[in-house]
Short mmCIF file of all heavy atoms in Angstrom, two decimals:
data_model
loop_
_atom_site.label_atom_id
_atom_site.label_comp_id
_atom_site.label_asym_id
_atom_site.label_seq_id
_atom_site.Cartn_x
_atom_site.Cartn_y
_atom_site.Cartn_z
N GLU A 58 -4.42 3.11 -13.85
CA GLU A 58 -3.95 4.46 -13.55
C GLU A 58 -3.04 5.00 -14.66
O GLU A 58 -1.91 5.43 -14.40
CB GLU A 58 -3.22 4.48 -12.20
CG GLU A 58 -4.15 4.32 -11.03
CD GLU A 58 -5.00 5.56 -10.78
OE1 GLU A 58 -4.51 6.54 -10.21
OE2 GLU A 58 -6.18 5.53 -11.18
N SER A 59 -3.55 4.94 -15.89
CA SER A 59 -2.77 5.46 -17.03
C SER A 59 -1.37 4.85 -17.09
O SER A 59 -0.38 5.55 -17.31
CB SER A 59 -2.68 6.99 -16.97
OG SER A 59 -3.95 7.56 -16.95
N VAL A 60 -1.31 3.56 -16.89
CA VAL A 60 -0.03 2.85 -16.90
C VAL A 60 0.38 2.59 -18.35
O VAL A 60 -0.45 2.21 -19.17
CB VAL A 60 -0.15 1.52 -16.13
CG1 VAL A 60 1.16 0.76 -16.15
CG2 VAL A 60 -0.60 1.78 -14.69
N PRO A 61 1.67 2.78 -18.68
CA PRO A 61 2.13 2.51 -20.06
C PRO A 61 1.82 1.09 -20.48
O PRO A 61 1.83 0.15 -19.66
CB PRO A 61 3.64 2.75 -19.98
CG PRO A 61 3.84 3.61 -18.80
CD PRO A 61 2.75 3.28 -17.82
N SER A 62 1.59 0.90 -21.78
CA SER A 62 1.16 -0.40 -22.29
C SER A 62 2.24 -1.47 -22.21
O SER A 62 1.95 -2.65 -22.42
CB SER A 62 0.69 -0.26 -23.74
OG SER A 62 1.75 0.23 -24.53
N ARG A 63 3.48 -1.07 -21.88
CA ARG A 63 4.51 -2.09 -21.70
C ARG A 63 4.26 -2.92 -20.44
O ARG A 63 4.89 -3.95 -20.22
CB ARG A 63 5.91 -1.45 -21.67
CG ARG A 63 6.11 -0.40 -20.61
CD ARG A 63 7.48 0.25 -20.79
NE ARG A 63 7.82 1.19 -19.74
CZ ARG A 63 7.55 2.49 -19.80
NH1 ARG A 63 6.96 2.99 -20.87
NH2 ARG A 63 7.88 3.29 -18.79
N PHE A 64 3.32 -2.47 -19.61
CA PHE A 64 2.84 -3.26 -18.47
C PHE A 64 1.44 -3.76 -18.82
O PHE A 64 0.54 -2.96 -19.07
CB PHE A 64 2.75 -2.40 -17.20
CG PHE A 64 4.06 -1.91 -16.69
CD1 PHE A 64 4.55 -0.68 -17.09
CD2 PHE A 64 4.81 -2.68 -15.81
CE1 PHE A 64 5.77 -0.22 -16.63
CE2 PHE A 64 6.03 -2.23 -15.33
CZ PHE A 64 6.52 -0.99 -15.74
N SER A 65 1.24 -5.07 -18.78
CA SER A 65 -0.04 -5.64 -19.18
C SER A 65 -0.54 -6.58 -18.08
O SER A 65 0.04 -7.64 -17.86
CB SER A 65 0.13 -6.41 -20.49
OG SER A 65 -1.07 -7.07 -20.83
N PRO A 66 -1.60 -6.20 -17.37
CA PRO A 66 -2.09 -7.07 -16.31
C PRO A 66 -3.02 -8.14 -16.86
O PRO A 66 -3.61 -7.99 -17.94
CB PRO A 66 -2.87 -6.10 -15.42
CG PRO A 66 -3.42 -5.09 -16.38
CD PRO A 66 -2.39 -4.96 -17.48
N GLU A 67 -3.13 -9.21 -16.07
CA GLU A 67 -4.04 -10.30 -16.45
C GLU A 67 -4.55 -10.95 -15.19
O GLU A 67 -3.78 -11.17 -14.25
CB GLU A 67 -3.27 -11.33 -17.30
CG GLU A 67 -4.12 -12.54 -17.71
CD GLU A 67 -3.27 -13.72 -18.16
OE1 GLU A 67 -2.06 -13.75 -17.86
OE2 GLU A 67 -3.83 -14.63 -18.78
N CYS A 68 -5.84 -11.26 -15.15
CA CYS A 68 -6.41 -11.93 -13.99
C CYS A 68 -7.08 -13.22 -14.46
O CYS A 68 -8.27 -13.21 -14.79
CB CYS A 68 -7.40 -11.00 -13.28
SG CYS A 68 -7.99 -11.61 -11.69
N PRO A 69 -6.35 -14.33 -14.52
CA PRO A 69 -6.90 -15.58 -15.07
C PRO A 69 -8.07 -16.13 -14.25
O PRO A 69 -8.99 -16.73 -14.80
CB PRO A 69 -5.72 -16.54 -15.02
CG PRO A 69 -4.51 -15.71 -14.83
CD PRO A 69 -4.95 -14.48 -14.12
N ASN A 70 -8.03 -15.94 -12.92
CA ASN A 70 -9.14 -16.35 -12.07
C ASN A 70 -9.07 -15.53 -10.78
O ASN A 70 -8.17 -14.71 -10.60
CB ASN A 70 -9.13 -17.86 -11.80
CG ASN A 70 -7.87 -18.32 -11.11
OD1 ASN A 70 -7.51 -17.82 -10.05
ND2 ASN A 70 -7.18 -19.28 -11.72
N SER A 71 -9.98 -15.78 -9.88
CA SER A 71 -10.09 -14.91 -8.70
C SER A 71 -8.91 -15.03 -7.75
O SER A 71 -8.74 -14.21 -6.87
CB SER A 71 -11.39 -15.23 -7.94
OG SER A 71 -11.41 -16.58 -7.54
N SER A 72 -8.07 -16.06 -7.92
CA SER A 72 -6.94 -16.25 -7.01
C SER A 72 -5.62 -15.77 -7.60
O SER A 72 -4.63 -15.67 -6.88
CB SER A 72 -6.77 -17.74 -6.67
OG SER A 72 -7.91 -18.23 -6.03
N LEU A 73 -5.59 -15.52 -8.88
CA LEU A 73 -4.32 -15.25 -9.56
C LEU A 73 -4.34 -13.88 -10.24
O LEU A 73 -5.35 -13.46 -10.81
CB LEU A 73 -4.06 -16.31 -10.64
CG LEU A 73 -3.80 -17.74 -10.16
CD1 LEU A 73 -3.71 -18.68 -11.34
CD2 LEU A 73 -2.54 -17.80 -9.31
N LEU A 74 -3.18 -13.23 -10.19
CA LEU A 74 -3.01 -11.95 -10.88
C LEU A 74 -1.60 -11.94 -11.45
O LEU A 74 -0.64 -12.25 -10.76
CB LEU A 74 -3.19 -10.79 -9.90
CG LEU A 74 -3.13 -9.38 -10.48
CD1 LEU A 74 -4.32 -9.13 -11.40
CD2 LEU A 74 -3.10 -8.34 -9.36
N ASN A 75 -1.50 -11.64 -12.74
CA ASN A 75 -0.20 -11.57 -13.40
C ASN A 75 0.06 -10.14 -13.87
O ASN A 75 -0.88 -9.37 -14.12
CB ASN A 75 -0.17 -12.51 -14.61
CG ASN A 75 -0.38 -13.97 -14.24
OD1 ASN A 75 0.09 -14.42 -13.21
ND2 ASN A 75 -1.09 -14.69 -15.08
N LEU A 76 1.34 -9.84 -14.02
CA LEU A 76 1.73 -8.57 -14.65
C LEU A 76 2.78 -8.91 -15.70
O LEU A 76 3.88 -9.34 -15.37
CB LEU A 76 2.30 -7.59 -13.61
CG LEU A 76 2.60 -6.19 -14.13
CD1 LEU A 76 1.31 -5.49 -14.60
CD2 LEU A 76 3.27 -5.34 -13.04
N HIS A 77 2.40 -8.78 -16.97
CA HIS A 77 3.29 -9.10 -18.08
C HIS A 77 4.11 -7.86 -18.43
O HIS A 77 3.56 -6.75 -18.54
CB HIS A 77 2.48 -9.59 -19.28
CG HIS A 77 1.64 -10.79 -18.99
ND1 HIS A 77 2.17 -12.00 -18.57
CD2 HIS A 77 0.29 -10.97 -19.00
CE1 HIS A 77 1.21 -12.87 -18.36
NE2 HIS A 77 0.04 -12.27 -18.60
N LEU A 78 5.40 -8.08 -18.60
CA LEU A 78 6.35 -6.99 -18.81
C LEU A 78 7.02 -7.13 -20.17
O LEU A 78 7.51 -8.23 -20.51
CB LEU A 78 7.42 -7.02 -17.72
CG LEU A 78 6.92 -7.23 -16.28
CD1 LEU A 78 8.11 -7.47 -15.34
CD2 LEU A 78 6.11 -6.04 -15.83
N HIS A 79 7.06 -6.06 -20.94
CA HIS A 79 7.69 -6.13 -22.27
C HIS A 79 8.25 -4.77 -22.64
O HIS A 79 7.57 -3.76 -22.51
CB HIS A 79 6.65 -6.57 -23.30
CG HIS A 79 7.17 -6.54 -24.71
ND1 HIS A 79 8.34 -7.18 -25.08
CD2 HIS A 79 6.70 -5.95 -25.83
CE1 HIS A 79 8.54 -7.00 -26.37
NE2 HIS A 79 7.57 -6.25 -26.85
N ALA A 80 9.51 -4.78 -23.11
CA ALA A 80 10.17 -3.55 -23.56
C ALA A 80 10.19 -2.50 -22.47
O ALA A 80 9.85 -1.33 -22.69
CB ALA A 80 9.47 -3.01 -24.81
N LEU A 81 10.61 -2.93 -21.26
CA LEU A 81 10.66 -1.99 -20.14
C LEU A 81 11.87 -1.07 -20.25
O LEU A 81 12.81 -1.34 -21.01
CB LEU A 81 10.71 -2.75 -18.82
CG LEU A 81 9.47 -3.57 -18.46
CD1 LEU A 81 9.53 -3.97 -16.98
CD2 LEU A 81 8.18 -2.82 -18.74
N GLN A 82 11.83 -0.01 -19.49
CA GLN A 82 12.89 0.98 -19.42
C GLN A 82 13.61 0.88 -18.07
O GLN A 82 13.00 0.43 -17.09
CB GLN A 82 12.30 2.38 -19.58
CG GLN A 82 11.50 2.57 -20.85
CD GLN A 82 12.36 2.42 -22.09
OE1 GLN A 82 13.44 3.00 -22.17
NE2 GLN A 82 11.89 1.63 -23.05
N PRO A 83 14.84 1.32 -17.98
CA PRO A 83 15.54 1.27 -16.68
C PRO A 83 14.77 1.98 -15.56
O PRO A 83 14.81 1.54 -14.41
CB PRO A 83 16.87 1.97 -16.98
CG PRO A 83 17.12 1.68 -18.42
CD PRO A 83 15.76 1.73 -19.08
N GLU A 84 14.02 3.03 -15.89
CA GLU A 84 13.27 3.75 -14.85
C GLU A 84 12.08 2.95 -14.32
O GLU A 84 11.45 3.36 -13.33
CB GLU A 84 12.79 5.12 -15.36
CG GLU A 84 11.89 5.06 -16.57
CD GLU A 84 12.65 5.27 -17.87
OE1 GLU A 84 13.85 4.94 -17.92
OE2 GLU A 84 12.02 5.77 -18.83
N ASP A 85 11.80 1.81 -14.95
CA ASP A 85 10.74 0.93 -14.44
C ASP A 85 11.24 0.04 -13.31
O ASP A 85 10.46 -0.70 -12.70
CB ASP A 85 10.19 0.04 -15.57
CG ASP A 85 9.50 0.85 -16.66
OD1 ASP A 85 8.84 1.85 -16.33
OD2 ASP A 85 9.66 0.49 -17.85
N SER A 86 12.53 0.09 -13.04
CA SER A 86 13.09 -0.68 -11.92
C SER A 86 12.45 -0.21 -10.62
O SER A 86 12.45 0.99 -10.32
CB SER A 86 14.60 -0.49 -11.85
OG SER A 86 15.23 -0.97 -13.03
N ALA A 87 11.88 -1.15 -9.88
CA ALA A 87 11.14 -0.81 -8.66
C ALA A 87 10.72 -2.10 -7.97
O ALA A 87 10.96 -3.20 -8.47
CB ALA A 87 9.90 0.02 -8.99
N LEU A 88 10.09 -1.94 -6.81
CA LEU A 88 9.44 -3.06 -6.13
C LEU A 88 7.98 -3.07 -6.59
O LEU A 88 7.30 -2.05 -6.48
CB LEU A 88 9.52 -2.87 -4.61
CG LEU A 88 8.91 -3.97 -3.74
CD1 LEU A 88 9.72 -5.27 -3.86
CD2 LEU A 88 8.85 -3.53 -2.28
N TYR A 89 7.53 -4.20 -7.11
CA TYR A 89 6.14 -4.31 -7.55
C TYR A 89 5.38 -5.13 -6.51
O TYR A 89 5.70 -6.30 -6.26
CB TYR A 89 6.07 -4.94 -8.95
CG TYR A 89 6.56 -3.94 -9.98
CD1 TYR A 89 7.92 -3.80 -10.24
CD2 TYR A 89 5.67 -3.10 -10.62
CE1 TYR A 89 8.38 -2.85 -11.14
CE2 TYR A 89 6.12 -2.14 -11.52
CZ TYR A 89 7.48 -2.02 -11.76
OH TYR A 89 7.93 -1.06 -12.64
N LEU A 90 4.39 -4.48 -5.93
CA LEU A 90 3.62 -5.08 -4.84
C LEU A 90 2.24 -5.49 -5.36
O LEU A 90 1.54 -4.71 -5.99
CB LEU A 90 3.44 -4.08 -3.70
CG LEU A 90 4.68 -3.71 -2.91
CD1 LEU A 90 4.44 -2.44 -2.10
CD2 LEU A 90 5.11 -4.85 -2.00
N CYS A 91 1.88 -6.71 -5.04
CA CYS A 91 0.52 -7.19 -5.30
C CYS A 91 -0.24 -7.14 -3.98
O CYS A 91 0.33 -7.34 -2.90
CB CYS A 91 0.58 -8.62 -5.81
SG CYS A 91 -1.01 -9.43 -6.03
N ALA A 92 -1.52 -6.85 -4.05
CA ALA A 92 -2.35 -6.85 -2.85
C ALA A 92 -3.71 -7.41 -3.20
O ALA A 92 -4.12 -7.43 -4.38
CB ALA A 92 -2.50 -5.43 -2.28
N SER A 93 -4.42 -7.87 -2.17
CA SER A 93 -5.81 -8.31 -2.38
C SER A 93 -6.65 -7.79 -1.24
O SER A 93 -6.14 -7.44 -0.16
CB SER A 93 -5.89 -9.84 -2.46
OG SER A 93 -5.62 -10.43 -1.21
N SER A 94 -7.97 -7.72 -1.47
CA SER A 94 -8.91 -7.31 -0.43
C SER A 94 -10.22 -8.03 -0.66
O SER A 94 -10.49 -8.50 -1.78
CB SER A 94 -9.11 -5.79 -0.44
OG SER A 94 -9.78 -5.38 -1.61
N PRO A 95 -11.06 -8.11 0.39
CA PRO A 95 -12.32 -8.84 0.23
C PRO A 95 -13.15 -8.35 -0.95
O PRO A 95 -13.78 -9.12 -1.65
CB PRO A 95 -13.03 -8.61 1.57
CG PRO A 95 -11.92 -8.43 2.55
CD PRO A 95 -10.85 -7.68 1.79
N GLY A 96 -13.19 -7.02 -1.13
CA GLY A 96 -13.93 -6.44 -2.25
C GLY A 96 -13.32 -5.09 -2.53
O GLY A 96 -12.17 -4.84 -2.22
N THR A 97 -14.09 -4.20 -3.12
CA THR A 97 -13.61 -2.83 -3.32
C THR A 97 -14.58 -1.82 -2.75
O THR A 97 -14.37 -0.64 -2.86
CB THR A 97 -13.41 -2.51 -4.82
OG1 THR A 97 -14.65 -2.73 -5.49
CG2 THR A 97 -12.31 -3.34 -5.42
N ASP A 98 -15.65 -2.30 -2.11
CA ASP A 98 -16.66 -1.39 -1.58
C ASP A 98 -16.28 -0.88 -0.21
O ASP A 98 -15.14 -1.02 0.22
CB ASP A 98 -18.02 -2.11 -1.52
CG ASP A 98 -18.49 -2.49 -2.89
OD1 ASP A 98 -18.11 -1.80 -3.85
OD2 ASP A 98 -19.24 -3.48 -3.01
N SER A 99 -17.22 -0.28 0.47
CA SER A 99 -16.97 0.32 1.77
C SER A 99 -16.73 -0.74 2.83
O SER A 99 -16.67 -1.93 2.55
CB SER A 99 -18.14 1.19 2.17
OG SER A 99 -18.31 2.22 1.25
N GLY A 100 -16.60 -0.29 4.06
CA GLY A 100 -16.21 -1.21 5.12
C GLY A 100 -14.69 -1.20 5.20
O GLY A 100 -14.02 -0.55 4.43
N ALA A 101 -14.16 -1.91 6.14
CA ALA A 101 -12.72 -1.87 6.34
C ALA A 101 -11.99 -2.29 5.07
O ALA A 101 -11.06 -1.63 4.63
CB ALA A 101 -12.31 -2.74 7.52
N ASN A 102 -12.44 -3.38 4.46
CA ASN A 102 -11.87 -3.82 3.18
C ASN A 102 -10.36 -3.64 3.13
O ASN A 102 -9.82 -2.98 2.25
CB ASN A 102 -12.53 -3.03 2.02
CG ASN A 102 -12.33 -3.74 0.71
OD1 ASN A 102 -12.37 -4.96 0.63
ND2 ASN A 102 -12.07 -2.98 -0.34
N VAL A 103 -9.68 -4.23 4.10
CA VAL A 103 -8.24 -4.03 4.26
C VAL A 103 -7.47 -4.72 3.14
O VAL A 103 -7.76 -5.86 2.79
CB VAL A 103 -7.79 -4.59 5.63
CG1 VAL A 103 -6.28 -4.56 5.75
CG2 VAL A 103 -8.44 -3.79 6.75
N LEU A 104 -6.50 -4.02 2.60
CA LEU A 104 -5.60 -4.61 1.61
C LEU A 104 -4.53 -5.43 2.32
O LEU A 104 -3.89 -4.94 3.26
CB LEU A 104 -4.92 -3.52 0.77
CG LEU A 104 -5.61 -3.12 -0.53
CD1 LEU A 104 -6.93 -2.46 -0.26
CD2 LEU A 104 -4.70 -2.24 -1.36
N THR A 105 -4.33 -6.66 1.86
CA THR A 105 -3.22 -7.50 2.32
C THR A 105 -2.19 -7.54 1.20
O THR A 105 -2.52 -7.89 0.07
CB THR A 105 -3.71 -8.92 2.63
OG1 THR A 105 -4.71 -8.87 3.64
CG2 THR A 105 -2.55 -9.78 3.12
N PHE A 106 -0.97 -7.16 1.53
CA PHE A 106 0.09 -7.07 0.53
C PHE A 106 0.96 -8.31 0.52
O PHE A 106 1.20 -8.94 1.55
CB PHE A 106 0.99 -5.86 0.81
CG PHE A 106 0.39 -4.55 0.43
CD1 PHE A 106 -0.42 -3.86 1.31
CD2 PHE A 106 0.62 -4.00 -0.84
CE1 PHE A 106 -0.99 -2.65 0.95
CE2 PHE A 106 0.06 -2.79 -1.19
CZ PHE A 106 -0.75 -2.11 -0.30
N GLY A 107 1.46 -8.63 -0.68
CA GLY A 107 2.52 -9.61 -0.80
C GLY A 107 3.87 -8.96 -0.51
O GLY A 107 3.96 -7.74 -0.34
N ALA A 108 4.92 -9.80 -0.46
CA ALA A 108 6.26 -9.30 -0.12
C ALA A 108 6.90 -8.53 -1.27
O ALA A 108 7.91 -7.86 -1.07
CB ALA A 108 7.15 -10.46 0.29
N GLY A 109 6.32 -8.64 -2.46
CA GLY A 109 6.82 -7.86 -3.58
C GLY A 109 7.79 -8.61 -4.47
O GLY A 109 8.41 -9.60 -4.08
N SER A 110 7.89 -8.13 -5.69
CA SER A 110 8.89 -8.61 -6.66
C SER A 110 9.79 -7.43 -6.99
O SER A 110 9.30 -6.40 -7.48
CB SER A 110 8.23 -9.11 -7.95
OG SER A 110 7.47 -10.27 -7.73
N ARG A 111 11.09 -7.58 -6.70
CA ARG A 111 12.01 -6.48 -6.96
C ARG A 111 12.55 -6.61 -8.38
O ARG A 111 13.23 -7.60 -8.69
CB ARG A 111 13.16 -6.47 -5.96
CG ARG A 111 14.04 -5.22 -6.11
CD ARG A 111 14.90 -4.95 -4.89
NE ARG A 111 14.13 -4.66 -3.69
CZ ARG A 111 13.54 -3.51 -3.43
NH1 ARG A 111 13.61 -2.52 -4.29
NH2 ARG A 111 12.90 -3.32 -2.30
N LEU A 112 12.22 -5.65 -9.22
CA LEU A 112 12.56 -5.70 -10.64
C LEU A 112 13.70 -4.74 -10.94
O LEU A 112 13.64 -3.58 -10.55
CB LEU A 112 11.33 -5.32 -11.48
CG LEU A 112 11.55 -5.17 -12.98
CD1 LEU A 112 11.88 -6.51 -13.61
CD2 LEU A 112 10.33 -4.56 -13.65
#
Side-chain angles (χ1 to χ4, degrees):
Chain A
E58 288 288 281
S59 303
V60 179
S62 60
R63 57 186 186 268
F64 295 92
S65 174
E67 178 198 17
C68 189
N70 60 56
S71 59
S72 299
L73 293 174
L74 184 67
N75 299 323
L76 187 64
H77 302 300
L78 314 171
H79 175 53
L81 294 194
Q82 304 296 312
E84 59 264 29
D85 296 323
S86 298
L88 181 68
Y89 288 84
L90 292 164
C91 174
S93 70
S94 68
T97 57
D98 296 333
S99 299
N102 199 38
V103 173
L104 268 66
T105 301
F106 284 87
S110 293
R111 187 162 297 282
L112 174 68

